[in-house]
């Protein structure tokens, strides 16, 4: 007796779905094991469809859900790969985003233990703190500005669980956009009258300049970057909410971090922020 073609097609689709689920689970396990053992892992892009950011975001969401189940709380989002220089550093050609958890926020006055990271690098950003939700059908930079309570200078300690930072867009998205830790400055600045693209950034390590840039280096304007994120997050079913922190993207090239390093970032018109590092080998 012959088997109907529709049945064969259904079985093939079911097998393909099962394989995709197994591969996504393996990608999540690989990244989680790297975090737990502090041993960077092989890229996960071979486990997921080439260039499939939806599959990568599903892995990211599964990791975040696991962190929430363990008691972590979502406090915001980060935009990655907004700066052309950082894109060239990593060989990636489009922005992405990750989730910020309360466990990732560090204080300026307490040295950060590099044992909390695997391959840390640091970059200076402008952080937005939202006063209201961003959920409308057409979100632009003006709406972002109106929804912003204040901006603040920030340092993001980006990190990759992938060995040697050998990543493409699928790897970094699945790895929570290569998020690590972050630090916020103390000065809260109203956006009124502030020209974000013209803001100049200088990052110093032990008093020497190691990175420079401007707001214009972040997708042309950090407000544009946040509008991109708000639209993307809304379309993916998890819109930006009042009270959330948004790290809007690097203003200059990222810099490797080693134990004993001390960084001081200045963003004209916005403020300053510091971070120091102690602990085991990075």
């Amino acid at each position: 007796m012959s088997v109907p073609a529709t049945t064969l097609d259904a079985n093939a689709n079911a097998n393909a779905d099962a394989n995709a689920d197994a591969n996504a689970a393996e990608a999540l396990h690989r990244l989680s094991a790297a975090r737990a053992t502090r041993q960077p892992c092989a890229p996960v892009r071979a486990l997921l469809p080439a260039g499939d950011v939806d599959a990568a975001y599903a892995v990211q969401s599964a990791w975040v859900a696991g962190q929430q189940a363990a008691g972590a709380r979502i406090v915001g989002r980060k935009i990655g790969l907004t700066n052309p220089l950082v894109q060239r550093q990593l060989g990636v050609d489009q922005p992405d985003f990750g989730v910020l958890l309360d466990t990732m926020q560090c204080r300026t006055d307490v040295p950060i233990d590099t044992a909390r990271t695997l391959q840390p690098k640091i970059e200076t950003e402008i952080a937005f703190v939202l006063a209201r939700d961003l959920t409308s059908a057409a979100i632009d930079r003006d709406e972002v500005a109106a929804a912003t309570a204040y901006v603040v200078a920030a340092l993001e300690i980006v990190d990759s669980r992938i060995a040697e930072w050998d990543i493409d867009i699928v790897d970094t998205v699945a790895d929570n956009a290569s998020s690590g830790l972050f630090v916020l400055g103390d000065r809260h600045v109203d956006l009124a009258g502030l020209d974000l693209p013209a803001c100049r950034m200088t990052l110093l390590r032990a008093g020497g300049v190691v990175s420079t840039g401007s707001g214009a280096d972040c997708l042309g304007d950090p407000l544009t970057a946040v509008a991109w994120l708000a639209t993307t997050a809304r379309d993916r079913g998890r819109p930006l909410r009042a009270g959330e922190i948004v790290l809007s993207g690097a203003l200059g090239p990222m810099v490797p971090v080693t134990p004993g390093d001390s960084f001081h970032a200045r963003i004209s018109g916005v403020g300053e922020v510091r971070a120091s590092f102690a602990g085991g080998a990075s």
Side-chain angles (χ1 to χ4, degrees):
M1 182 176 69
S2 63
V3 178
T6 54
T7 300
L8 293 174
D9 289 343
N11 289 339
N13 289 337
N15 288 336
D17 289 343
N19 288 337
D21 290 344
N23 286 343
E26 173 58 25
L28 176 61
H29 171 74
R30 187 179 293 182
L31 292 167
S32 298
R35 291 176 183 271
T37 63
R38 297 198 66 251
Q39 294 296 318
C41 64
V44 299
R45 56 183 175 268
L47 297 169
L48 302 173
D52 191 340
V53 294
D54 290 335
Y57 277 117
V59 173
Q60 178 190 124
S61 294
W63 178 77
V64 171
Q67 296 302 297
Q68 289 179 284
R73 181 171 55 88
I74 294 175
V75 296
R77 253 63 69 87
K78 64 149 284 185
I79 312 171
L81 305 170
T82 57
N83 187 296
L85 292 175
V86 174
Q87 289 183 356
R88 285 198 289 273
Q89 281 181 304
L90 297 179
V92 177
D93 63 359
Q94 59 181 296
D96 66 351
F97 75 87
V99 175
L100 299 178
L101 303 172
D102 61 336
T103 52
M104 298 163 62
Q105 186 166 2
C106 302
R107 292 168 48 180
T108 60
D109 59 343
V110 177
I112 298 168
D113 188 349
T114 52
R116 297 179 63 185
T117 62
L118 277 73
Q119 305 171 102
K121 302 175 187 287
I122 196 166
E123 57 191 29
T124 309
E125 309 193 13
I126 296 173
F128 290 66
V129 177
L130 300 179
R132 64 172 188 252
D133 299 351
L134 283 167
T135 57
S136 70
I139 303 170
D140 60 17
R141 57 189 304 284
D142 291 336
E143 183 170 353
V144 170
T148 299
Y150 59 86
V151 294
V152 58
L155 289 167
E156 183 185 2
I157 298 89
V158 293
D159 198 13
S160 181
R161 272 51 65 174
I162 306 297
E164 304 295 331
W165 280 86
D166 177 16
I167 63 173
D168 73 359
I169 190 65
V170 168
D171 292 303
T172 186
V173 168
D175 192 20
N176 198 31
S178 303
S179 299
L181 308 167
F182 68 97
V183 184
L184 300 181
D186 297 327
R187 182 186 178 199
H188 299 172
V189 179
D190 192 294
L191 276 177
L194 188 60
D195 183 355
L196 291 182
C199 291
R200 301 297 305 175
M201 179 278 293
T202 304
L203 177 64
L204 302 98
R205 177 173 55 201
V209 175
V210 290
S211 182
T212 60
S214 72
D217 294 320
C218 179
L219 286 185
D221 185 339
L223 282 167
T224 300
V226 178
W228 171 86
L229 171 63
T231 300
T232 304
R234 178 205 63 202
D235 291 348
R236 291 187 173 277
R238 188 176 284 177
L240 300 180
R241 298 296 188 185
E244 287 196 329
I245 302 161
V246 178
L247 300 183
S248 61
L251 303 184
M254 56 188 181
V255 177
V257 172
T258 58
D261 280 344
S262 179
F263 293 91
H264 177 195
R266 303 178 182 130
I267 306 174
S268 62
V270 177
E272 304 183 4
V273 59
R274 299 173 183 269
S276 60
F277 294 84
S282 61

